[in-house]
Coordinates of all heavy atoms in Angstrom, one line a residue:
Chain B
P457 N -192.0 26.3 -8.7 CA -191.4 26.1 -7.4 C -191.6 24.7 -6.8 O -192.6 24.0 -7.1 CB -192.1 27.2 -6.6 CG -193.4 27.4 -7.2 CD -193.2 27.2 -8.7
P458 N -190.7 24.3 -6.0 CA -190.8 23.0 -5.4 C -192.0 22.9 -4.4 O -192.5 23.9 -3.9 CB -189.5 22.8 -4.6 CG -189.0 24.2 -4.3 CD -189.5 25.0 -5.5
V459 N -192.5 21.7 -4.3 CA -193.7 21.5 -3.4 C -193.2 20.5 -2.3 O -192.5 19.5 -2.6 CB -194.9 20.8 -4.2 CG1 -196.0 20.6 -3.2 CG2 -195.3 21.7 -5.3
A460 N -193.6 20.8 -1.1 CA -193.2 19.9 0.0 C -194.5 19.4 0.7 O -195.5 20.1 0.8 CB -192.4 20.6 1.0
S461 N -194.5 18.1 1.0 CA -195.6 17.5 1.7 C -195.2 16.9 3.0 O -194.1 16.3 3.1 CB -196.3 16.5 0.8 OG -195.4 15.5 0.4
A462 N -196.1 17.0 4.0 CA -195.8 16.4 5.3 C -197.1 15.6 5.8 O -198.2 16.0 5.4 CB -195.4 17.5 6.3
G463 N -196.8 14.6 6.6 CA -197.9 13.8 7.1 C -198.2 14.0 8.6 O -198.9 13.2 9.2
D464 N -197.6 15.1 9.1 CA -197.9 15.4 10.5 C -198.1 16.9 10.5 O -197.3 17.7 9.9 CB -196.7 15.0 11.3 CG -196.8 15.4 12.8 OD1 -197.5 14.7 13.5 OD2 -196.2 16.4 13.2
A465 N -199.1 17.4 11.3 CA -199.4 18.8 11.3 C -198.3 19.7 11.8 O -198.0 20.7 11.2 CB -200.7 19.0 12.2
A466 N -197.6 19.3 12.9 CA -196.5 20.1 13.4 C -195.4 20.1 12.4 O -194.8 21.2 12.2 CB -196.0 19.6 14.7
L467 N -195.1 19.0 11.8 CA -194.1 18.9 10.7 C -194.5 19.8 9.6 O -193.6 20.5 8.9 CB -193.9 17.5 10.3 CG -192.8 17.2 9.2 CD1 -191.5 17.7 9.7 CD2 -192.8 15.7 8.9
G468 N -195.8 19.9 9.3 CA -196.3 20.7 8.2 C -196.0 22.2 8.4 O -195.6 22.9 7.5
L469 N -196.2 22.6 9.7 CA -195.9 24.0 10.0 C -194.4 24.3 9.9 O -194.0 25.4 9.3 CB -196.3 24.3 11.5 CG -197.8 24.3 11.8 CD1 -198.0 24.5 13.3 CD2 -198.5 25.4 11.0
L470 N -193.6 23.4 10.3 CA -192.1 23.6 10.2 C -191.7 23.6 8.7 O -190.8 24.3 8.3 CB -191.3 22.5 10.9 CG -191.4 22.6 12.5 CD1 -190.5 21.6 13.1 CD2 -191.0 24.0 13.0
T471 N -192.4 22.8 7.9 CA -192.1 22.7 6.5 C -192.3 24.1 5.8 O -191.5 24.6 5.0 CB -193.0 21.7 5.8 OG1 -192.8 20.4 6.4 CG2 -192.8 21.5 4.3
Q472 N -193.5 24.7 6.2 CA -193.8 26.1 5.7 C -192.7 27.0 6.1 O -192.2 27.8 5.3 CB -195.1 26.5 6.2 CG -196.3 25.8 5.6 CD -197.6 26.5 5.9 OE1 -197.7 27.3 6.8 NE2 -198.6 26.2 5.1

Side-chain angles (χ1 to χ4, degrees):
Chain B
V459 179
S461 59
D464 178 78
L467 180 59
L469 290 177
L470 291 186
T471 303
Q472 287 193 343

